[in-house]
Amino acid sequence: MTSTMPTKADVVVIGAGAAGLFCGARIAEGGVSVLVIDHAKKPAEKVRISGGGRCNFTNIHTGPHAFLSDNPHFAKSALARYRPADFIARLDARGIGWHEKTLGQLFCDGRSGAIIDMLTGDLLAAGGQLALSTPITALDRTEDGFSIATRAGPVEARRLVVATGGLSIPKMGATGFAYDIARRFGHDVIDPRPALVPFVFEGRDKTDFASISGVSLPVRARFGDTVFDEAMLFTHRGLSGPAILQISSYWREGHPVAINLLPGNEAAAALKSAKAAHPKQSLATALESLLPKRLAGMLAARGDLPDIPRLADLSHDRIEALVRTLSDWMLKPAGTEGWRTAEVTAGGVDTAGLSSRSMESRTVPGLYFIGECVDVTGWLGGYNFQWAWASAQAAAADC
Ligand code: FDA
């Protein structure tokens, strides 16, 4: 950390989160003078809380398919030039243990603070500087770069990297700084919206879902052509769990999502054989082998199941119809939990104005945007950090 604020640096990076710290470290390792500034007291707080405190720092299946953007091709170049294996090698070199949890998601064996210590240590060891608790008060272009006024004094830089993240979790210091700077320098901003966020419901749905809060099951969540096979969780406010967080990034307000509560193919066959074996059994009991008991009870209470006393009264056609209904349960969320709990921000600085090779502005030489503030949003599962590392490396290589 700096005790005195330098008045000049080749590069100033604003934002000491995942992308900004890594970018600063890579720039410093290239022998270029760099100052990373953040208004927060501590760096990379989102890394600290990520992955339940163990930071899901990458995903070995990273590829452009796992990212949303107005331009789905934009992320390809940076992702191809900085791969999960590159970041893993950095952890390995410092003896930071990691393991794969599921679906290619890599987590630290210990606390995520190890990654923050690594990033901060690498920045400082290579001669970079870090100014925390340093709000920016003004920012202007000069003849040969940028002048940045801060509460700790002014600093001049040839190049400026904006890495201030998105709007999610305002109580952690998230701001729209990157969007303001982008607009001021003539860039478009794709409307930021909360992503990887639980759905909330109103009325009967809200009451019903709250009544079985804590129940979870594997589902297939679908919006349009996009599907995710993961777990869904009923909550006091609506629906959450990985399947819901994933589909929320694609969801558009006012539209329904389709939930397949019976994602295998065997439900109709199972009900038909239950009917043959136990004709006197109730439908709710038979469904217990396919769905959590409390969910089956809730579906029966809201009239989503046929009202028949015994399986014997359920024709094969009605079994097929029931399975179709439960495989395409259409629900219209009232909204999402919003910025308060969204893991990331979808939308952001329009990639049309940036070089996909370097993240540099096409119109303002020396100005870069990296990380979550750019209109590139990853799936749940380590993809967002991989974008932070890859976009940071792309900019650092150009500085
Ligand atoms: P990030 O938000 O990390 O950093 C921005 C920095 O800029 C902050 O330090 C902030 O203080 C600073 N800043 C903001 N405004 C400023 C201003 N006006 N002036 C100065 N500084 C300013 N992803 C993943 O891949 N795996 C995971 O396990 C998780 N888990 C997870 C859990 C939770 C609860 C959240 C909220 C998010 C995740 N994520 C995640 C997402 C991941 O944290 C996110 O994508 C990255 O942190 C983005 O990195 P950036 O560096 O772009 O922004």
Side-chain angles (χ1 to χ4, degrees):
M1 327 288 144
T2 68
S3 42
T4 47
M5 184 83 171
T7 54
K8 251 186 193 317
D10 285 329
V11 186
V12 161
V13 178
I14 304 181
L21 280 183
F22 186 56
C23 188
R26 297 298 294 134
I27 291 170
E29 286 165 2
V32 175
S33 73
V34 60
L35 167 68
V36 182
I37 303 176
D38 203 295
H39 65 171
K41 280 197 209 114
K42 291 183 182 170
E45 279 298 89
K46 281 190 183 166
V47 173
R48 190 176 308 284
I49 61 162
S50 66
R54 292 193 188 277
C55 190
N56 176 195
F57 58 85
T58 192
N59 192 299
I60 54 173
H61 303 308
T62 295
H65 66 279
F67 294 84
L68 292 81
S69 172
D70 253 27
N71 176 2
H73 303 291
F74 181 81
K76 283 182 182 169
S77 168
L79 291 174
R81 285 178 297 128
Y82 195 82
R83 295 179 183 274
D86 296 314
F87 197 76
I88 293 168
R90 235 176 145 86
L91 297 189
D92 288 347
R94 284 147 189 88
I96 299 174
W98 53 270
H99 59 277
E100 181 180 347
K101 205 165 173 186
T102 174
L103 303 171
Q105 302 169 4
L106 303 193
F107 286 75
C108 295
D109 289 345
R111 309 305 299 170
S112 38
I115 290 192
I116 305 175
D117 292 346
M118 176 187 85
L119 296 172
T120 313
D122 288 350
L123 168 72
L124 301 178
Q129 300 192 72
L130 177 60
L132 298 171
S133 304
T134 306
I136 311 289
T137 51
L139 199 162
D140 285 297
R141 251 184 117 179
T142 59
E143 226 166 69
D144 51 1
F146 300 86
S147 95
I148 301 116
T150 78
R151 288 256 180 88
V155 53
E156 303 277 327
R158 266 191 314 110
R159 294 170 194 266
L160 177 68
V161 181
V162 180
T164 49
L167 291 172
S168 39
I169 327 248
K171 75 169 188 232
M172 292 186 71
T175 68
F177 182 86
Y179 312 138
D180 298 342
I181 296 298
R183 287 192 191 100
R184 229 188 83 200
F185 286 109
H187 283 261
D188 286 334
V189 173
I190 308 294
D191 266 353
R193 55 178 207 285
L196 299 181
V197 63
F199 285 138
V200 296
F201 287 82
E202 276 168 5
R204 178 79 202 259
D205 287 343
K206 181 178 177 192
T207 320
D208 287 347
F209 299 170
S211 75
I212 59 164
S213 162
V215 167
S216 76
L217 74 161
V219 300
R220 167 169 287 195
R222 180 175 62 79
F223 186 73
D225 293 336
T226 306
V227 295
F228 289 99
D229 289 305
E230 290 201 56
M232 178 176 88
L233 171 73
F234 289 88
T235 73
H236 282 291
R237 307 187 65 203
L239 294 174
S240 186
I244 295 301
L245 300 186
Q246 297 279 36
I247 210 70
S248 74
S249 300
Y250 292 82
W251 177 72
R252 295 301 162 127
E253 221 156 316
H255 293 272
V257 289
I259 307 295
N260 182 347
L261 295 167
L262 304 167
N265 286 325
E266 71 290 347
L271 286 174
K272 285 175 194 170
S273 35
K275 175 181 167 177
H278 313 286
K280 291 186 186 158
Q281 197 175 59
S282 73
L283 177 58
T285 307
L287 277 175
E288 279 170 25
S289 62
L290 300 170
L291 294 173
K293 186 174 175 180
R294 290 173 66 203
L295 171 57
M298 184 269 277
L299 291 169
R302 61 192 256 140
D304 287 350
L305 301 181
D307 186 17
I308 47 119
R310 303 169 317 155
L311 281 181
D313 304 320
L314 200 59
S315 69
H316 279 198
D317 280 356
R318 284 184 80 188
I319 288 178
E320 301 281 356
L322 170 65
V323 168
R324 274 197 302 278
T325 306
L326 297 182
S327 304
D328 205 25
W329 199 37
M330 300 299 283
L331 298 171
K332 203 183 224 184
T336 70
E337 288 190 3
W339 300 117
R340 191 178 58 82
T341 60
E343 270 196 22
V344 288
T345 301
V349 179
D350 191 351
T351 59
L354 305 178
S355 153
S356 62
R357 192 188 54 80
S358 65
M359 308 294 130
E360 187 177 18
S361 162
R362 290 187 184 285
T363 45
V364 184
L367 177 65
Y368 299 75
F369 293 91
I370 60 170
E372 193 177 319
C373 69
V374 178
D375 173 33
V376 173
T377 307
W379 288 352
L380 188 75
Y383 298 100
N384 284 296
F385 280 135
Q386 188 58 34
W387 170 247
W389 318 135
S391 58
Q393 169 63 33
D398 203 58
C399 284

